[in-house]
Amino acid sequence: MGKNQIDGVVLCGASAYNQKYYLNENFVGLPDSIKEELRIMCVLFTEDVGGIMQLVFDEDGELEFVTSYDEGDLLYDEIGSVLKIKQYQNTKRELLEAVQTYYRIVFLGEGFDEED
């Protein structure tokens, strides 16, 4: 597997190198407020830490933070990356759980088992 190869479905990401943000077109159905929060989170991450940050769903529908950086990038803050991810996992917990639930229902076909 290559250095920047991703296993799973990319939700969104941002790059400090080309200063671009990406939202997977399959997720345009998310509410605008959630899409905006995701954009801000990804862009701020790359502005603070550098490199590339992506939110990726694994095969079980778990949302993961995936980071990478160019080999010669001396400005990338590896320790800051870990700390920023922990911060987001705490402060953005509701947002991340909501997006994860959306993915599991819409894309994985999971439902809520309700008895009549």
Side-chain angles (χ1 to χ4, degrees):
M1 182 157 76
K3 180 179 157 200
N4 292 324
Q5 193 170 351
I6 303 293
D7 282 338
V9 176
V10 175
L11 166 61
C12 59
S15 170
Y17 303 119
N18 60 14
Q19 279 137 20
K20 292 199 176 183
Y21 170 76
Y22 165 80
L23 174 69
N24 183 331
E25 62 188 23
N26 294 322
F27 294 95
V28 295
L30 285 169
D32 289 342
S33 60
I34 289 180
K35 290 188 289 192
E36 182 63 11
E37 271 196 82
L38 291 169
R39 186 185 70 76
I40 291 168
M41 188 171 65
C42 290
V43 170
L44 285 179
F45 181 94
T46 59
E47 285 180 1
D48 290 349
V49 176
I52 298 168
M53 195 274 280
Q54 296 177 308
L55 287 171
V56 180
F57 292 103
D58 68 13
E59 61 187 23
D60 297 322
E62 295 288 324
L63 193 56
E64 299 177 345
F65 289 83
V66 177
T67 61
S68 59
Y69 58 94
D70 289 346
E71 212 169 291
D73 186 354
L74 301 176
L75 299 177
Y76 180 76
D77 183 358
E78 233 173 310
I79 294 170
S81 169
V82 172
L83 295 174
K84 194 70 153 171
I85 288 170
K86 286 184 187 298
Q87 176 190 352
Y88 283 156
Q89 287 170 331
N90 288 327
T91 61
K92 301 290 185 182
R93 180 179 312 277
E94 286 182 22
L95 168 72
L96 299 171
E97 287 176 355
V99 171
Q100 198 168 266
T101 300
Y102 174 87
Y103 178 78
R104 287 179 169 164
I105 292 169
V106 174
F107 293 93
L108 297 183
E110 293 181 11
F112 297 103
D113 294 330
E114 293 184 18
E115 294 183 16
D116 295 336

